[in-house]
Amino acid sequence: MALMHLSFYSAFILSSLGLAFHRTHLISALLCLESMMLSMYIALSIWPIENQSTSFTLMPVLMLTFSACEASAGLAMLVASTRTHGSDHLHNLNLLQC
Amino acid sequence: MAYFMLFLGLSFVLGSLAVASNPSPYYGVVGLVVGSVVGCGWLVSLGVSFVSLVLFMVYLGGMLVVFVYSVSLAADPFPEAWGDWRVVGYGMGLVVVVVVGVVVGGFVEWWKVGAVTVDGGGIFAVRLDFSGVAVFYSWGVGMFLVAGWGLLLALFVVLELVRGLSRGAIRAV
């Protein structure tokens, strides 16, 4: 594997591990999601550089657009859960607990 | 120059490690800022300065600013600091991932950086990334309209999510 590919690959894996093992705050999980998106942006930018193809430089910009929509929806849910439960602690979201 | 690229790649991974193992969301945002600055430097070193500037302005200047004041809404008033067992755990996970990647990829010319720079390719004497994103407005206009419609829809989604009191999706009280 090329060394720079290993760099954003391990950054993506680390961020997804942080998303899977999120601990106290909901916003920590949202930050790990943003870090996954950042490593995907770098990966999609490096791809047309390596292949010297012009029109695929569009892909990271498009992905950034939809990631902005996703981040806004996630932050809206954070604000809604803070207004309902008083904080964004994940152990308060226990409506499905028996 | 190759050592500079290796330093940027390492800093990118360390920024992601800071986001994953944060003791408090304040430090997670610091790791994200460091990671995006280093990622922009990485892209500039490869020659594509336009996508690097797009990342700076939209991601760092738009989305991360919103995340910073959402963190100030949601995080603790007395945060913990580094020097915790969680950093060690995630660091061990990072070492495992790197070892697996090297074993799977093999030690075939591992010292090479793996990307060439962009200095001459493009359309009509414009550089590669400028002309590539300009395709968004000519041949990719359908996707441009879909993306614009999606952004407008996201505004209304956010409005309905935080409306509250009897019309919102989450608010129960």
Side-chain angles (χ1 to χ4, degrees), chain A residues 14-85:
Chain A
L14 264 183
S15 315
S16 54
L17 279 179
L19 178 65
F21 298 131
H22 51 261
R23 297 177 299 271
T24 319
H25 290 278
L26 179 63
I27 196 162
S28 302
L30 292 179
L31 284 175
C32 290
L33 213 55
E34 287 305 307
S35 179
M36 286 165 74
M37 200 293 303
L38 177 67
S39 64
M40 277 170 58
Y41 183 93
I42 300 287
L44 285 175
S45 299
I46 286 181
W47 182 250
I49 297 171
E50 287 187 357
N51 294 336
Q52 297 282 319
S53 62
T54 308
S55 52
F56 292 110
T57 18
L58 181 56
M59 269 194 305
V61 174
L62 203 56
M63 200 203 75
L64 199 63
T65 306
F66 292 117
S67 162
C69 301
E70 161 212 327
S72 65
L75 285 177
M77 283 194 277
L78 172 87
V79 166
S81 67
T82 304
R83 287 167 71 184
T84 308
H85 297 276

Side-chain angles (χ1 to χ4, degrees), chain B residues 54-166:
Chain B
V54 163
L55 184 68
F56 243 138
M57 289 208 300
V58 173
Y59 189 80
L60 192 62
M63 289 162 58
L64 277 194
V65 166
V66 175
F67 264 97
V68 162
Y69 64 70
S70 298
V71 162
S72 71
L73 163 74
D76 309 320
F78 298 104
E80 306 172 16
W82 293 114
D84 209 9
W85 56 271
R86 288 189 282 256
V87 182
V88 173
Y90 279 103
M92 286 296 118
L94 169 68
V95 166
V96 165
V97 165
V98 167
V99 164
V100 165
V102 167
V103 164
V104 166
F107 275 98
V108 181
E109 293 177 337
W110 61 273
W111 64 91
K112 291 190 178 175
V113 169
V116 299
T117 60
V118 168
D119 283 317
I123 304 175
F124 299 126
V126 179
R127 248 210 193 157
L128 183 132
D129 52 345
F130 282 87
S131 52
V133 183
V135 167
F136 199 30
Y137 297 98
S138 65
W139 293 105
V141 69
M143 207 58 216
F144 173 69
L145 289 175
V146 168
W149 178 252
L151 282 174
L152 182 66
L153 198 63
L155 284 180
F156 289 105
V157 163
V158 167
L159 180 68
E160 279 301 319
L161 274 176
V162 300
R163 189 186 283 268
L165 192 58
S166 60

